[in-house]
Amino acid sequence: MRYLDLYHTGELLQRVKVAYGRLRRCDLCPHLCGVDRMAGETGICRAGFKPRIASATLHRGEEPPVSGSRGSGTIFLSGCSLACRFCQNFPISQLDNGEELTPPALAGRMLRLQGQKVHNINFVTPTHYLPQILAALWLAVGKGFNLPIVWNSSGYEEVHALELLDGIVDIYLPDMKYGDDATALAFSSAPGYPEANRAAVGEMLRQVGHLETDDDGVAQKGLIIRHLVLPEGAAGSSEILPWIARNLGVETHVSLMKQYFPAHLASGMPELNRKLTDGEYALAVEALEAAGLENGWVQE
Ligand code: SF4
C-alpha cells in the first residue's frame, strides 16, 4: 500500500497533525462551519472530537470489485454533513446511533477486520472524521495493518481536505447525487453540492486514476462513482452522466443505483414519496449509454 511509504517517511504522522489542526476551525467539508471541534464545539454534522461508529463488520453487498470473494471490512461512521430527507441509513447518519471510540480503538477494529481476511477497509460516510481516521490508520500500520483503504463518501467534500488523503486512500467510492443547487439544498441541505462534488471527484481521479483490479477482479486502486436515480429525474442523471463522460472520461466506472424508496422524511415530500419506476430507471440507463460510459454496473 502506498500509505506504508508515507508511514515510514513520517509523512503520514504529519498528515495526522495537519488534519487535526483543521478541527480548530473545522473546514473539512463545504459547510465550512469554522467551529472548534478540539474544544468540544460541533457544527452541522454534529461530530465532535472523538470518532463515533455504528458498526465495523464484514460486508458482501458492495460493488463486486469492492466486496470481492471475501467481503469488505465496512466501518460505518455515525453522523453526516448532509441531511438527506430520504436517507436509508438515517438512524446512523441523522440520529447519530453508534458508539464513541478513541483512535486506538478504531485502529483495533481495523486490525480485527484484517484478521477476518477482508479485502479492504471501507470507511462509510467518513468525511467529518478524516483526522481521526488518519490517526487510527497511523496506529494500525504500526501494528501490521496493510489493507487497501476505501473512501465511501457522499462526495460533498473540500479538495483541500481530500489532498490530505493523497497517497493514502486507494479506492474512492463517492456519490454524485445532484445536478443542480436547488435540489441539493431542498433534499439534502447541501448548498453548492454540484460544484463541490465535481471538484471533489476530479481530485479523487487525479489521486487514484481509473479503477484497477487484480487477476481475481478485486479493486486495487481507482475511482467508482455511485449515482442513485431519484423519482422525477430529481438526481439530474441526464446532466451528471454526460458530465462524467466529458470531464473524467468514458472509462470511468459508474454504479447506477435503482434502490430508491421513500425512507426517513421522504413521505412528507410529494416528489419523493414513492418508489422509483422502472421507466425512470430506464431513462437513466439510456443517459448512461448515450454518454458513452463503458464501465460499471446497472441493476435489473
Ligand atoms: S465536517 Fe462537520 S463541523 Fe466540519 S465543516 Fe463539515 S459539517 Fe461543519
Side-chain angles (χ1 to χ4, degrees):
M1 293 307 110
R2 295 182 301 158
Y3 60 72
L4 295 177
D5 291 338
L6 300 187
Y7 176 84
H8 290 298
T9 61
E11 171 67 14
L12 179 54
L13 182 57
Q14 187 59 27
R15 299 269 187 99
V16 173
K17 292 175 182 173
V18 172
Y20 268 100
R22 290 200 170 275
L23 291 184
R24 283 278 176 214
R25 292 170 57 83
C26 189
D27 61 357
L28 289 177
C29 86
H31 283 304
L32 304 175
C33 295
V35 294
D36 186 352
R37 290 174 55 187
M38 300 283 271
E41 294 177 5
T42 55
I44 287 172
C45 64
R46 305 169 301 282
F49 177 58
K50 289 184 180 173
R52 189 174 180 83
I53 73 165
S55 62
T57 55
L58 188 155
H59 183 50
R60 299 184 188 278
E62 306 286 25
E63 284 75 3
V66 178
S67 290
S69 58
R70 302 195 305 270
S72 177
T74 304
I75 298 179
F76 270 92
L77 283 302
S78 305
C80 186
S81 55
L82 299 187
C84 301
R85 309 297 186 268
F86 51 84
C87 183
Q88 296 169 7
N89 291 325
F90 72 93
I92 298 170
S93 65
Q94 306 299 315
L95 305 181
D96 304 337
N97 286 356
E99 61 175 321
E100 194 172 84
L101 297 176
T102 60
L106 180 54
R109 303 298 171 96
M110 296 163 67
L111 288 160
R112 190 192 302 171
L113 286 164
Q114 179 169 277
Q116 292 177 248
K117 308 293 183 201
V118 296
H119 289 291
N120 47 57
I121 294 294
N122 178 355
F123 290 106
V124 183
T125 322
T127 307
H128 50 299
Y129 284 124
L130 185 153
Q132 295 86 344
I133 288 169
L134 288 184
L137 176 64
W138 183 78
L139 291 163
V141 170
K143 295 185 174 179
F145 180 79
N146 61 5
L147 292 179
I149 298 292
V150 181
W151 193 259
N152 183 340
S153 74
S154 69
Y156 190 52
E157 305 190 74
E158 282 288 318
V159 169
H160 66 71
L162 291 172
E163 285 170 351
L164 293 169
L165 302 174
D166 193 2
I168 293 171
V169 166
D170 300 284
I171 298 142
Y172 279 107
L173 190 54
D175 292 333
M176 291 193 83
K177 288 179 178 292
Y178 302 113
D180 73 272
D181 283 329
T183 309
L185 200 56
F187 289 1
S188 294
S189 302
Y193 181 96
E195 185 180 351
N197 179 236
R198 291 173 187 192
V201 295
E203 170 62 14
M204 293 172 181
L205 182 66
R206 183 192 71 75
Q207 290 183 21
V208 297
H210 289 296
L211 184 66
E212 295 177 16
T213 58
D214 65 12
D215 291 344
D216 296 323
V218 178
Q220 301 301 297
K221 67 188 280 280
L223 173 70
I224 300 173
I225 293 172
R226 283 178 168 169
H227 178 67
L228 175 67
V229 184
L230 294 177
E232 310 285 344
S237 311
S238 60
E239 290 171 51
I240 288 173
L241 296 167
W243 184 91
I244 293 171
R246 278 196 314 273
N247 293 278
L248 306 181
V250 291
E251 63 271 57
T252 308
H253 282 69
V254 177
S255 180
L256 196 65
M257 300 190 296
K258 190 183 185 182
Q259 65 264 40
Y260 177 81
F261 67 89
H264 191 33
L265 303 175
S267 60
M269 303 183 75
E271 60 274 60
L272 288 175
N273 190 23
R274 64 168 171 80
K275 286 184 174 176
L276 187 74
T277 66
D278 287 344
E280 286 169 329
Y281 187 71
L283 283 176
V285 174
E286 277 177 28
L288 182 87
E289 291 171 352
L293 290 161
E294 301 165 347
N295 295 314
W297 302 268
V298 297
Q299 294 172 275
E300 294 303 316

